[in-house]
Amino acid sequence: MNSPVVRAIKALFFIGPLLFGVAFLSPLVAQSMVALAITPPFGLEPLVFGLIIGTGLGVTAQIRGRWI
């Protein structure tokens, strides 16, 4: 009953908030900063700053169990 495919899907759902933060929110933050001509702090690239923000939000949602 517990095939490797089922275990893989369960693992993806378990780390879903982290994946969403890295795969969706990071590029969204980076593209928004570029579109609005906002310079990231400390001379970082927009994508690096987006990864920091997206990962932080994803980890927070993973730990707390909710986004808000």
Side-chain angles (χ1 to χ4, degrees):
M1 289 273 255
N2 210 2
S3 69
V5 174
V6 172
R7 285 193 304 255
I9 292 173
K10 284 182 181 181
L12 285 176
F13 276 115
F14 179 72
I15 60 170
L18 182 60
L19 287 176
F20 182 77
V22 171
F24 181 75
L25 290 180
S26 297
L28 179 67
V29 169
Q31 289 179 358
S32 298
M33 291 181 74
V34 170
L36 296 172
I38 298 173
T39 306
F42 308 116
L44 295 172
E45 295 291 323
L47 185 57
V48 174
F49 185 72
L51 282 169
I52 292 169
I53 298 298
T55 304
L57 289 173
V59 167
T60 302
Q62 181 73 35
I63 292 171
R64 294 178 67 195
R66 57 191 172 125
W67 284 98
I68 298 174

